[in-house]
Amino acid sequence: MNEIIGLIFIAIGLVFDFFGCLGLVRLPDIYNRLHSSIKCVTLGTSSILLGLLLYKGFSPTGVKALLCIIFLFLTAPVSAHVLARSAHKSGVKLWDKSVCDKYAEDKK
Amino acid sequence: MKTKIILFITAFLVWILLSWSFQPMHLIIGVIVGILVSVTTSDMFVKEPKIFRNTKRYLWLLYYIPVFIWECVKANIDAALRLVHPDLPINPGIVKVKTTLKSDAGLVFLANSLTLKPGTMTVDIDKENGFLYIHWSDVKSQDIEEATRLVVHKFERILKRIFE
């Protein structure tokens, strides 16, 4: 039973990872692409790891997967923040139809 | 001394989860490495040991985790629906919001939670004045107060009780 639930979680994770990659193709600028890639890939990969935990049970492999989920949730948003900040500092423009850019206004 | 003990317990827990074997040899290696790490680097990680004694903070942390996971799942469904929509309904922009959190750990958790929340991503933090710059993929309000109420308020209320 646990194995079936684990496989379902892995399938859900693969779907979300696919949406993250689709966002890289469809969205217009780096900031929007980071949105889709970080959100979908964090939850998708965590879902795959959770599926592995259910599939393997509390064995050394499964517990390492649990630890990986925690580290992923702590570090993936930091990498998104660093990429967005460095892109903005090195002068990458927002999309033409963006509404406002308070960060650029404050930096002047 | 307190900071060393806290860091030792944390390091030893991570070691047990990583090795997940309870033979004496593994446990002894874990104790030795944990003591080395905590003696050399304790003053870098734990700033205020007294907040670890408060039991209420752990209960609020337990309440925060399901709220956060629910927001994260909502964010993913929201992002996926926007992506498969033929017109690509996004309305992006960088807005400025206020925060009243002061501690480093609180700000890190707030920024991380906002990045995984529906439609928002932290671009920069101005720690001295307490401002966050948020890239919002569907801007509803450019006003600071209104944006703060819509974006930050929900998590800030819980994180304030955990980390402040």
Side-chain angles (χ1 to χ4, degrees), chain A residues 19 23 26 31 35 39-40 43 58 63-64 67 73-74 77 81 85 98-103 106, chain B residues 17-18 20 76 83-86 91-94 96 112 115-117 119-120 122-124 133 135 142:
Chain A
F19 278 124
R26 279 206 74 187
Y31 306 100
H35 265 291
K39 283 193 186 74
C40 292
L43 195 77
F58 277 89
V63 178
K64 278 192 194 70
L67 208 59
F73 268 100
L74 286 178
H81 152 68
R85 184 165 179 262
S98 295
V99 188
C100 55
D101 190 353
K102 295 280 166 63
Y103 190 37
D106 279 10
Chain B
L17 286 175
L18 265 178
W20 203 250
N76 276 273
L83 278 174
V84 294
H85 196 286
N91 183 24
I94 295 181
K96 186 178 176 185
N112 273 9
T115 299
L116 294 171
K117 184 185 178 293
T120 55
T122 316
V123 177
D124 204 356
Y133 296 93
H135 185 270
Q142 297 185 28

mmCIF file of all heavy atoms in Angstrom, chain A residues 19 23 26 31 35 39-40 43 58 63-64 67 73-74 77 81 85 98-103 106, chain B residues 17-18 20 76 83-86 91-94 96 112 115-117 119-120 122-124 133 135 142:
data_model
loop_
_atom_site.group_PDB
_atom_site.id
_atom_site.type_symbol
_atom_site.label_atom_id
_atom_site.label_comp_id
_atom_site.label_asym_id
_atom_site.label_seq_id
_atom_site.Cartn_x
_atom_site.Cartn_y
_atom_site.Cartn_z
ATOM 1 N N PHE A 19 5.724 21.446 -15.102
ATOM 2 C CA PHE A 19 5.187 22.802 -15.184
ATOM 3 C C PHE A 19 6.287 23.837 -14.956
ATOM 4 O O PHE A 19 6.297 24.893 -15.596
ATOM 5 C CB PHE A 19 4.058 22.995 -14.172
ATOM 6 C CG PHE A 19 2.740 22.479 -14.657
ATOM 7 C CD1 PHE A 19 2.032 21.551 -13.923
ATOM 8 C CD2 PHE A 19 2.218 22.935 -15.850
ATOM 9 C CE1 PHE A 19 0.821 21.073 -14.372
ATOM 10 C CE2 PHE A 19 1.006 22.460 -16.307
ATOM 11 C CZ PHE A 19 0.305 21.528 -15.571
ATOM 12 N N GLY A 23 7.256 26.782 -17.591
ATOM 13 C CA GLY A 23 7.343 28.200 -17.271
ATOM 14 C C GLY A 23 8.588 28.844 -17.839
ATOM 15 O O GLY A 23 8.542 29.982 -18.290
ATOM 16 N N ARG A 26 7.622 29.599 -21.484
ATOM 17 C CA ARG A 26 6.508 30.476 -21.821
ATOM 18 C C ARG A 26 6.624 31.894 -21.276
ATOM 19 O O ARG A 26 6.144 32.839 -21.885
ATOM 20 C CB ARG A 26 5.200 29.866 -21.290
ATOM 21 C CG ARG A 26 4.629 28.802 -22.178
ATOM 22 C CD ARG A 26 3.133 28.699 -21.994
ATOM 23 N NE ARG A 26 2.431 29.809 -22.621
ATOM 24 C CZ ARG A 26 1.132 30.009 -22.487
ATOM 25 N NH1 ARG A 26 0.414 29.177 -21.768
ATOM 26 N NH2 ARG A 26 0.535 31.021 -23.071
ATOM 27 N N TYR A 31 12.568 37.381 -14.046
ATOM 28 C CA TYR A 31 11.911 37.366 -12.733
ATOM 29 C C TYR A 31 10.701 36.437 -12.758
ATOM 30 O O TYR A 31 10.485 35.647 -11.829
ATOM 31 C CB TYR A 31 11.508 38.781 -12.345
ATOM 32 C CG TYR A 31 12.667 39.730 -12.408
ATOM 33 C CD1 TYR A 31 12.847 40.563 -13.490
ATOM 34 C CD2 TYR A 31 13.609 39.747 -11.399
ATOM 35 C CE1 TYR A 31 13.933 41.411 -13.570
ATOM 36 C CE2 TYR A 31 14.698 40.580 -11.462
ATOM 37 C CZ TYR A 31 14.852 41.412 -12.549
ATOM 38 O OH TYR A 31 15.934 42.226 -12.633
ATOM 39 N N HIS A 35 9.972 32.815 -10.769
ATOM 40 C CA HIS A 35 8.742 32.463 -10.056
ATOM 41 C C HIS A 35 8.349 31.021 -10.318
ATOM 42 O O HIS A 35 8.231 30.214 -9.406
ATOM 43 C CB HIS A 35 7.594 33.337 -10.581
ATOM 44 C CG HIS A 35 7.360 34.548 -9.782
ATOM 45 N ND1 HIS A 35 6.855 34.509 -8.530
ATOM 46 C CD2 HIS A 35 7.539 35.839 -10.077
ATOM 47 C CE1 HIS A 35 6.745 35.729 -8.079
ATOM 48 N NE2 HIS A 35 7.155 36.562 -8.999
ATOM 49 N N LYS A 39 9.029 27.886 -7.563
ATOM 50 C CA LYS A 39 7.855 27.335 -6.870
ATOM 51 C C LYS A 39 7.593 25.899 -7.279
ATOM 52 O O LYS A 39 7.520 24.991 -6.454
ATOM 53 C CB LYS A 39 6.623 28.180 -7.175
ATOM 54 C CG LYS A 39 6.603 29.450 -6.409
ATOM 55 C CD LYS A 39 5.251 30.089 -6.510
ATOM 56 C CE LYS A 39 5.269 31.431 -5.852
ATOM 57 N NZ LYS A 39 5.965 32.446 -6.635
ATOM 58 N N CYS A 40 7.477 25.669 -8.592
ATOM 59 C CA CYS A 40 7.086 24.334 -9.041
ATOM 60 C C CYS A 40 8.193 23.321 -8.781
ATOM 61 O O CYS A 40 7.909 22.191 -8.392
ATOM 62 C CB CYS A 40 6.728 24.365 -10.514
ATOM 63 S SG CYS A 40 5.237 25.284 -10.828
ATOM 64 N N LEU A 43 8.401 22.311 -4.887
ATOM 65 C CA LEU A 43 7.363 21.381 -4.439
ATOM 66 C C LEU A 43 7.435 20.071 -5.217
ATOM 67 O O LEU A 43 7.222 19.000 -4.640
ATOM 68 C CB LEU A 43 5.977 22.002 -4.592
ATOM 69 C CG LEU A 43 4.929 21.226 -3.809
ATOM 70 C CD1 LEU A 43 5.016 21.554 -2.350
ATOM 71 C CD2 LEU A 43 3.551 21.490 -4.311
ATOM 72 N N PHE A 58 11.194 3.892 6.703
ATOM 73 C CA PHE A 58 12.226 4.587 7.469
ATOM 74 C C PHE A 58 13.544 3.812 7.443
ATOM 75 O O PHE A 58 14.058 3.385 8.455
ATOM 76 C CB PHE A 58 11.753 4.817 8.901
ATOM 77 C CG PHE A 58 10.893 6.034 9.023
ATOM 78 C CD1 PHE A 58 9.526 5.949 8.851
ATOM 79 C CD2 PHE A 58 11.458 7.267 9.266
ATOM 80 C CE1 PHE A 58 8.737 7.068 8.933
ATOM 81 C CE2 PHE A 58 10.679 8.391 9.351
ATOM 82 C CZ PHE A 58 9.306 8.294 9.183
ATOM 83 N N VAL A 63 15.197 8.207 5.193
ATOM 84 C CA VAL A 63 15.424 9.315 6.117
ATOM 85 C C VAL A 63 16.293 10.378 5.475
ATOM 86 O O VAL A 63 16.102 11.572 5.697
ATOM 87 C CB VAL A 63 16.034 8.783 7.422
ATOM 88 C CG1 VAL A 63 16.323 9.915 8.364
ATOM 89 C CG2 VAL A 63 15.077 7.830 8.078
ATOM 90 N N LYS A 64 17.246 9.961 4.638
ATOM 91 C CA LYS A 64 18.049 10.964 3.912
ATOM 92 C C LYS A 64 17.166 11.786 2.986
ATOM 93 O O LYS A 64 17.362 12.990 2.824
ATOM 94 C CB LYS A 64 19.153 10.273 3.122
ATOM 95 C CG LYS A 64 20.366 9.944 3.957
ATOM 96 C CD LYS A 64 21.510 9.528 3.084
ATOM 97 C CE LYS A 64 22.616 8.887 3.887
ATOM 98 N NZ LYS A 64 22.266 7.569 4.424
ATOM 99 N N LEU A 67 15.560 14.448 5.052
ATOM 100 C CA LEU A 67 16.513 15.520 5.342
ATOM 101 C C LEU A 67 16.707 16.420 4.120
ATOM 102 O O LEU A 67 16.827 17.641 4.238
ATOM 103 C CB LEU A 67 17.841 14.895 5.766
ATOM 104 C CG LEU A 67 18.728 15.695 6.693
ATOM 105 C CD1 LEU A 67 17.993 15.989 7.969
ATOM 106 C CD2 LEU A 67 19.986 14.935 6.991
ATOM 107 N N PHE A 73 13.839 23.100 1.133
ATOM 108 C CA PHE A 73 12.950 24.206 1.472
ATOM 109 C C PHE A 73 13.721 25.374 2.065
ATOM 110 O O PHE A 73 13.318 26.519 1.929
ATOM 111 C CB PHE A 73 11.864 23.745 2.442
ATOM 112 C CG PHE A 73 10.621 23.291 1.750
ATOM 113 C CD1 PHE A 73 10.362 21.960 1.548
ATOM 114 C CD2 PHE A 73 9.722 24.232 1.280
ATOM 115 C CE1 PHE A 73 9.226 21.554 0.886
ATOM 116 C CE2 PHE A 73 8.581 23.833 0.634
ATOM 117 C CZ PHE A 73 8.337 22.488 0.433
ATOM 118 N N LEU A 74 14.849 25.096 2.752
ATOM 119 C CA LEU A 74 15.616 26.202 3.329
ATOM 120 C C LEU A 74 16.469 26.900 2.287
ATOM 121 O O LEU A 74 16.709 28.100 2.395
ATOM 122 C CB LEU A 74 16.510 25.683 4.462
ATOM 123 C CG LEU A 74 15.799 25.324 5.761
ATOM 124 C CD1 LEU A 74 16.803 24.792 6.757
ATOM 125 C CD2 LEU A 74 15.105 26.529 6.335
ATOM 126 N N PRO A 77 14.655 28.845 -1.990
ATOM 127 C CA PRO A 77 14.227 30.249 -2.078
ATOM 128 C C PRO A 77 15.396 31.222 -1.972
ATOM 129 O O PRO A 77 15.370 32.276 -2.608
ATOM 130 C CB PRO A 77 13.286 30.401 -0.889
ATOM 131 C CG PRO A 77 12.847 29.056 -0.551
ATOM 132 C CD PRO A 77 13.981 28.174 -0.865
ATOM 133 N N HIS A 81 16.265 34.242 -4.579
ATOM 134 C CA HIS A 81 16.457 35.622 -4.144
ATOM 135 C C HIS A 81 17.796 36.163 -4.644
ATOM 136 O O HIS A 81 17.868 37.277 -5.172
ATOM 137 C CB HIS A 81 16.365 35.658 -2.621
ATOM 138 C CG HIS A 81 17.132 36.740 -1.971
ATOM 139 N ND1 HIS A 81 16.784 38.058 -2.105
ATOM 140 C CD2 HIS A 81 18.230 36.718 -1.194
ATOM 141 C CE1 HIS A 81 17.636 38.789 -1.427
ATOM 142 N NE2 HIS A 81 18.537 38.003 -0.872
ATOM 143 N N ARG A 85 18.185 39.255 -7.263
ATOM 144 C CA ARG A 85 18.864 40.464 -6.805
ATOM 145 C C ARG A 85 20.060 40.785 -7.696
ATOM 146 O O ARG A 85 20.263 41.928 -8.110
ATOM 147 C CB ARG A 85 19.329 40.252 -5.366
ATOM 148 C CG ARG A 85 19.956 41.451 -4.739
ATOM 149 C CD ARG A 85 20.045 41.251 -3.241
ATOM 150 N NE ARG A 85 20.656 42.376 -2.595
ATOM 151 C CZ ARG A 85 21.939 42.422 -2.250
ATOM 152 N NH1 ARG A 85 22.719 41.394 -2.497
ATOM 153 N NH2 ARG A 85 22.438 43.480 -1.663
ATOM 154 N N SER A 98 5.420 45.375 -17.411
ATOM 155 C CA SER A 98 5.427 45.379 -15.949
ATOM 156 C C SER A 98 4.788 46.662 -15.429
ATOM 157 O O SER A 98 4.881 47.722 -16.058
ATOM 158 C CB SER A 98 6.853 45.288 -15.429
ATOM 159 O OG SER A 98 7.405 44.053 -15.792
ATOM 160 N N VAL A 99 4.139 46.558 -14.252
ATOM 161 C CA VAL A 99 3.360 47.682 -13.758
ATOM 162 C C VAL A 99 4.253 48.721 -13.088
ATOM 163 O O VAL A 99 4.151 49.911 -13.355
ATOM 164 C CB VAL A 99 2.286 47.178 -12.778
ATOM 165 C CG1 VAL A 99 1.358 48.305 -12.405
ATOM 166 C CG2 VAL A 99 1.522 46.034 -13.378
ATOM 167 N N CYS A 100 5.140 48.256 -12.184
ATOM 168 C CA CYS A 100 5.915 49.220 -11.417
ATOM 169 C C CYS A 100 7.246 48.582 -11.040
ATOM 170 O O CYS A 100 7.392 47.368 -11.061
ATOM 171 C CB CYS A 100 5.163 49.632 -10.153
ATOM 172 S SG CYS A 100 4.700 48.232 -9.137
ATOM 173 N N ASP A 101 8.225 49.431 -10.677
ATOM 174 C CA ASP A 101 9.513 48.931 -10.210
ATOM 175 C C ASP A 101 9.991 49.828 -9.079
ATOM 176 O O ASP A 101 10.771 50.744 -9.284
ATOM 177 C CB ASP A 101 10.511 48.904 -11.372
ATOM 178 C CG ASP A 101 11.778 48.163 -10.980
ATOM 179 O OD1 ASP A 101 11.899 47.806 -9.801
ATOM 180 O OD2 ASP A 101 12.630 47.948 -11.850
ATOM 181 N N LYS A 102 9.481 49.580 -7.878
ATOM 182 C CA LYS A 102 9.827 50.417 -6.729
ATOM 183 C C LYS A 102 11.300 50.270 -6.359
ATOM 184 O O LYS A 102 11.904 51.175 -5.811
ATOM 185 C CB LYS A 102 8.949 50.042 -5.524
ATOM 186 C CG LYS A 102 7.486 50.309 -5.694
ATOM 187 C CD LYS A 102 7.169 51.771 -5.453
ATOM 188 C CE LYS A 102 5.801 52.141 -5.943
ATOM 189 N NZ LYS A 102 4.718 51.455 -5.273
ATOM 190 N N TYR A 103 11.882 49.114 -6.666
ATOM 191 C CA TYR A 103 13.282 48.870 -6.291
ATOM 192 C C TYR A 103 14.205 49.812 -7.060
ATOM 193 O O TYR A 103 15.095 50.430 -6.482
ATOM 194 C CB TYR A 103 13.611 47.398 -6.583
ATOM 195 C CG TYR A 103 14.931 46.918 -6.040
ATOM 196 C CD1 TYR A 103 15.401 47.366 -4.824
ATOM 197 C CD2 TYR A 103 15.679 46.000 -6.740
ATOM 198 C CE1 TYR A 103 16.596 46.918 -4.311
ATOM 199 C CE2 TYR A 103 16.879 45.531 -6.238
ATOM 200 C CZ TYR A 103 17.336 46.009 -5.036
ATOM 201 O OH TYR A 103 18.527 45.554 -4.543
ATOM 202 N N ASP A 106 13.913 53.361 -5.761
ATOM 203 C CA ASP A 106 14.586 53.618 -4.497
ATOM 204 C C ASP A 106 16.096 53.609 -4.621
ATOM 205 O O ASP A 106 16.790 54.206 -3.806
ATOM 206 C CB ASP A 106 14.168 52.552 -3.464
ATOM 207 C CG ASP A 106 12.838 52.898 -2.846
ATOM 208 O OD1 ASP A 106 12.193 53.831 -3.371
ATOM 209 O OD2 ASP A 106 12.445 52.254 -1.864
ATOM 210 N N LEU B 17 20.101 11.566 11.733
ATOM 211 C CA LEU B 17 19.244 11.446 10.556
ATOM 212 C C LEU B 17 20.062 11.053 9.332
ATOM 213 O O LEU B 17 19.592 10.290 8.481
ATOM 214 C CB LEU B 17 18.513 12.761 10.301
ATOM 215 C CG LEU B 17 17.373 13.078 11.263
ATOM 216 C CD1 LEU B 17 16.820 14.454 10.969
ATOM 217 C CD2 LEU B 17 16.273 12.049 11.146
ATOM 218 N N LEU B 18 21.290 11.584 9.241
ATOM 219 C CA LEU B 18 22.106 11.276 8.062
ATOM 220 C C LEU B 18 22.578 9.826 8.060
ATOM 221 O O LEU B 18 22.560 9.162 7.024
ATOM 222 C CB LEU B 18 23.320 12.197 8.015
ATOM 223 C CG LEU B 18 23.214 13.451 7.168
ATOM 224 C CD1 LEU B 18 24.489 14.243 7.280
ATOM 225 C CD2 LEU B 18 22.958 13.105 5.724
ATOM 226 N N TRP B 20 21.467 7.216 10.327
ATOM 227 C CA TRP B 20 20.334 6.331 10.591
ATOM 228 C C TRP B 20 20.770 4.892 10.882
ATOM 229 O O TRP B 20 20.192 3.937 10.430
ATOM 230 C CB TRP B 20 19.336 6.350 9.436
ATOM 231 C CG TRP B 20 17.965 5.924 9.878
ATOM 232 C CD1 TRP B 20 17.319 4.762 9.544
ATOM 233 C CD2 TRP B 20 17.075 6.632 10.732
ATOM 234 N NE1 TRP B 20 16.089 4.713 10.144
ATOM 235 C CE2 TRP B 20 15.906 5.846 10.883
ATOM 236 C CE3 TRP B 20 17.144 7.856 11.418
ATOM 237 C CZ2 TRP B 20 14.831 6.243 11.672
ATOM 238 C CZ3 TRP B 20 16.074 8.250 12.181
ATOM 239 C CH2 TRP B 20 14.937 7.439 12.291
ATOM 240 N N ASN B 76 1.604 26.572 -6.112
ATOM 241 C CA ASN B 76 1.934 25.753 -7.268
ATOM 242 C C ASN B 76 0.754 25.590 -8.198
ATOM 243 O O ASN B 76 0.894 25.685 -9.420
ATOM 244 C CB ASN B 76 2.413 24.383 -6.802
ATOM 245 C CG ASN B 76 3.869 24.418 -6.459
ATOM 246 O OD1 ASN B 76 4.696 24.242 -7.306
ATOM 247 N ND2 ASN B 76 4.166 24.722 -5.220
ATOM 248 N N LEU B 83 0.140 29.171 -16.163
ATOM 249 C CA LEU B 83 1.009 28.756 -17.267
ATOM 250 C C LEU B 83 0.223 28.116 -18.395
ATOM 251 O O LEU B 83 0.523 28.347 -19.566
ATOM 252 C CB LEU B 83 2.044 27.751 -16.748
ATOM 253 C CG LEU B 83 3.239 28.356 -16.067
ATOM 254 C CD1 LEU B 83 4.096 27.265 -15.491
ATOM 255 C CD2 LEU B 83 4.028 29.153 -17.062
ATOM 256 N N VAL B 84 -0.787 27.292 -18.059
ATOM 257 C CA VAL B 84 -1.494 26.599 -19.139
ATOM 258 C C VAL B 84 -2.581 27.465 -19.745
ATOM 259 O O VAL B 84 -3.135 27.119 -20.781
ATOM 260 C CB VAL B 84 -2.099 25.265 -18.655
ATOM 261 C CG1 VAL B 84 -1.017 24.289 -18.273
ATOM 262 C CG2 VAL B 84 -3.051 25.486 -17.508
ATOM 263 N N HIS B 85 -2.910 28.623 -19.132
ATOM 264 C CA HIS B 85 -3.905 29.525 -19.712
ATOM 265 C C HIS B 85 -3.367 30.118 -21.008
ATOM 266 O O HIS B 85 -2.224 30.577 -21.047
ATOM 267 C CB HIS B 85 -4.200 30.645 -18.703
ATOM 268 C CG HIS B 85 -5.452 31.400 -18.996
ATOM 269 N ND1 HIS B 85 -5.537 32.297 -20.016
ATOM 270 C CD2 HIS B 85 -6.665 31.372 -18.407
ATOM 271 C CE1 HIS B 85 -6.760 32.805 -20.044
ATOM 272 N NE2 HIS B 85 -7.462 32.251 -19.070
ATOM 273 N N PRO B 86 -4.176 30.113 -22.089
ATOM 274 C CA PRO B 86 -3.636 30.573 -23.384
ATOM 275 C C PRO B 86 -3.199 32.037 -23.386
ATOM 276 O O PRO B 86 -2.269 32.388 -24.115
ATOM 277 C CB PRO B 86 -4.804 30.371 -24.353
ATOM 278 C CG PRO B 86 -5.838 29.624 -23.634
ATOM 279 C CD PRO B 86 -5.517 29.557 -22.193
ATOM 280 N N ASN B 91 0.679 40.056 -14.473
ATOM 281 C CA ASN B 91 0.641 41.502 -14.345
ATOM 282 C C ASN B 91 1.783 41.882 -13.411
ATOM 283 O O ASN B 91 1.566 42.319 -12.294
ATOM 284 C CB ASN B 91 -0.735 41.866 -13.743
ATOM 285 C CG ASN B 91 -0.918 43.334 -13.619
ATOM 286 O OD1 ASN B 91 -0.277 44.102 -14.336
ATOM 287 N ND2 ASN B 91 -1.765 43.744 -12.699
ATOM 288 N N PRO B 92 3.051 41.671 -13.830
ATOM 289 C CA PRO B 92 4.156 41.688 -12.862
ATOM 290 C C PRO B 92 4.644 43.075 -12.494
ATOM 291 O O PRO B 92 4.348 44.058 -13.183
ATOM 292 C CB PRO B 92 5.246 40.912 -13.601
ATOM 293 C CG PRO B 92 4.973 41.171 -15.025
ATOM 294 C CD PRO B 92 3.505 41.376 -15.192
ATOM 295 N N GLY B 93 5.420 43.143 -11.424
ATOM 296 C CA GLY B 93 6.015 44.396 -10.981
ATOM 297 C C GLY B 93 6.695 44.191 -9.648
ATOM 298 O O GLY B 93 6.432 43.214 -8.963
ATOM 299 N N ILE B 94 7.601 45.120 -9.286
ATOM 300 C CA ILE B 94 8.287 45.025 -7.993
ATOM 301 C C ILE B 94 7.663 46.043 -7.052
ATOM 302 O O ILE B 94 7.650 47.238 -7.355
ATOM 303 C CB ILE B 94 9.793 45.267 -8.149
ATOM 304 C CG1 ILE B 94 10.427 44.167 -8.998
ATOM 305 C CG2 ILE B 94 10.465 45.301 -6.791
ATOM 306 C CD1 ILE B 94 11.899 44.310 -9.191
ATOM 307 N N LYS B 96 7.038 47.453 -2.842
ATOM 308 C CA LYS B 96 7.794 47.616 -1.596
ATOM 309 C C LYS B 96 6.834 47.378 -0.441
ATOM 310 O O LYS B 96 5.732 47.921 -0.451
ATOM 311 C CB LYS B 96 8.317 49.044 -1.577
ATOM 312 C CG LYS B 96 9.229 49.406 -0.457
ATOM 313 C CD LYS B 96 9.657 50.848 -0.690
ATOM 314 C CE LYS B 96 10.506 51.363 0.431
ATOM 315 N NZ LYS B 96 10.818 52.779 0.241
ATOM 316 N N ASN B 112 11.913 33.595 2.781
ATOM 317 C CA ASN B 112 11.757 32.282 2.152
ATOM 318 C C ASN B 112 10.288 31.926 1.976
ATOM 319 O O ASN B 112 9.884 31.437 0.923
ATOM 320 C CB ASN B 112 12.423 31.209 3.021
ATOM 321 C CG ASN B 112 13.886 31.049 2.714
ATOM 322 O OD1 ASN B 112 14.429 31.844 1.972
ATOM 323 N ND2 ASN B 112 14.503 30.049 3.268
ATOM 324 N N THR B 115 8.759 33.784 -0.847
ATOM 325 C CA THR B 115 9.152 33.288 -2.170
ATOM 326 C C THR B 115 8.306 32.085 -2.577
ATOM 327 O O THR B 115 8.010 31.906 -3.755
ATOM 328 C CB THR B 115 10.641 32.919 -2.164
ATOM 329 O OG1 THR B 115 11.374 34.085 -1.865
ATOM 330 C CG2 THR B 115 11.090 32.409 -3.503
ATOM 331 N N LEU B 116 7.912 31.253 -1.604
ATOM 332 C CA LEU B 116 7.129 30.066 -1.951
ATOM 333 C C LEU B 116 5.619 30.291 -1.847
ATOM 334 O O LEU B 116 4.848 29.380 -2.058
ATOM 335 C CB LEU B 116 7.525 28.892 -1.057
ATOM 336 C CG LEU B 116 8.947 28.416 -1.288
ATOM 337 C CD1 LEU B 116 9.350 27.414 -0.242
ATOM 338 C CD2 LEU B 116 9.095 27.802 -2.655
ATOM 339 N N LYS B 117 5.197 31.518 -1.540
ATOM 340 C CA LYS B 117 3.776 31.849 -1.412
ATOM 341 C C LYS B 117 3.233 32.203 -2.806
ATOM 342 O O LYS B 117 4.016 32.540 -3.671
ATOM 343 C CB LYS B 117 3.705 33.057 -0.476
ATOM 344 C CG LYS B 117 2.369 33.555 -0.104
ATOM 345 C CD LYS B 117 2.578 34.815 0.729
ATOM 346 C CE LYS B 117 1.261 35.405 1.101
ATOM 347 N NZ LYS B 117 0.540 35.912 -0.058
ATOM 348 N N GLY B 119 2.513 33.734 -6.038
ATOM 349 C CA GLY B 119 2.711 34.957 -6.808
ATOM 350 C C GLY B 119 3.740 35.945 -6.320
ATOM 351 O O GLY B 119 3.885 36.988 -6.915
ATOM 352 N N THR B 120 4.469 35.676 -5.243
ATOM 353 C CA THR B 120 5.431 36.666 -4.775
ATOM 354 C C THR B 120 6.831 36.066 -4.686
ATOM 355 O O THR B 120 6.993 34.868 -4.505
ATOM 356 C CB THR B 120 5.052 37.202 -3.383
ATOM 357 O OG1 THR B 120 4.905 36.098 -2.503
ATOM 358 C CG2 THR B 120 3.786 37.979 -3.419
ATOM 359 N N THR B 122 10.845 37.366 -3.109
ATOM 360 C CA THR B 122 11.643 38.408 -2.472
ATOM 361 C C THR B 122 12.840 38.749 -3.345
ATOM 362 O O THR B 122 13.593 37.873 -3.741
ATOM 363 C CB THR B 122 12.143 37.930 -1.105
ATOM 364 O OG1 THR B 122 11.079 37.293 -0.441
ATOM 365 C CG2 THR B 122 12.656 39.073 -0.293
ATOM 366 N N VAL B 123 13.014 40.043 -3.647
ATOM 367 C CA VAL B 123 14.175 40.452 -4.434
ATOM 368 C C VAL B 123 15.265 41.022 -3.534
ATOM 369 O O VAL B 123 16.428 40.688 -3.690
ATOM 370 C CB VAL B 123 13.770 41.483 -5.508
ATOM 371 C CG1 VAL B 123 14.981 41.961 -6.265
ATOM 372 C CG2 VAL B 123 12.795 40.863 -6.471
ATOM 373 N N ASP B 124 14.904 41.877 -2.573
ATOM 374 C CA ASP B 124 15.934 42.417 -1.689
ATOM 375 C C ASP B 124 15.327 42.792 -0.344
ATOM 376 O O ASP B 124 14.126 43.004 -0.238
ATOM 377 C CB ASP B 124 16.607 43.644 -2.323
ATOM 378 C CG ASP B 124 17.993 43.855 -1.742
ATOM 379 O OD1 ASP B 124 18.354 43.111 -0.824
ATOM 380 O OD2 ASP B 124 18.702 44.743 -2.219
ATOM 381 N N TYR B 133 11.575 44.202 -0.759
ATOM 382 C CA TYR B 133 11.191 44.440 -2.147
ATOM 383 C C TYR B 133 10.708 43.129 -2.733
ATOM 384 O O TYR B 133 11.450 42.146 -2.750
ATOM 385 C CB TYR B 133 12.365 44.992 -2.951
ATOM 386 C CG TYR B 133 12.811 46.332 -2.461
ATOM 387 C CD1 TYR B 133 13.825 46.445 -1.528
ATOM 388 C CD2 TYR B 133 12.178 47.476 -2.899
ATOM 389 C CE1 TYR B 133 14.216 47.682 -1.047
ATOM 390 C CE2 TYR B 133 12.561 48.714 -2.434
ATOM 391 C CZ TYR B 133 13.572 48.810 -1.509
ATOM 392 O OH TYR B 133 13.950 50.029 -1.025
ATOM 393 N N HIS B 135 8.885 40.938 -5.812
ATOM 394 C CA HIS B 135 8.404 40.835 -7.194
ATOM 395 C C HIS B 135 7.104 40.067 -7.171
ATOM 396 O O HIS B 135 7.063 38.924 -6.739
ATOM 397 C CB HIS B 135 9.430 40.116 -8.072
ATOM 398 C CG HIS B 135 9.049 40.098 -9.518
ATOM 399 N ND1 HIS B 135 8.305 39.085 -10.059
ATOM 400 C CD2 HIS B 135 9.275 40.972 -10.513
ATOM 401 C CE1 HIS B 135 8.109 39.347 -11.338
ATOM 402 N NE2 HIS B 135 8.686 40.481 -11.635
ATOM 403 N N GLN B 142 -0.194 49.040 -5.517
ATOM 404 C CA GLN B 142 1.180 49.540 -5.436
ATOM 405 C C GLN B 142 1.431 50.288 -4.153
ATOM 406 O O GLN B 142 2.559 50.665 -3.856
ATOM 407 C CB GLN B 142 1.470 50.462 -6.622
ATOM 408 C CG GLN B 142 1.376 49.744 -7.944
ATOM 409 C CD GLN B 142 1.784 50.633 -9.086
ATOM 410 O OE1 GLN B 142 2.579 51.541 -8.916
ATOM 411 N NE2 GLN B 142 1.253 50.377 -10.264
#
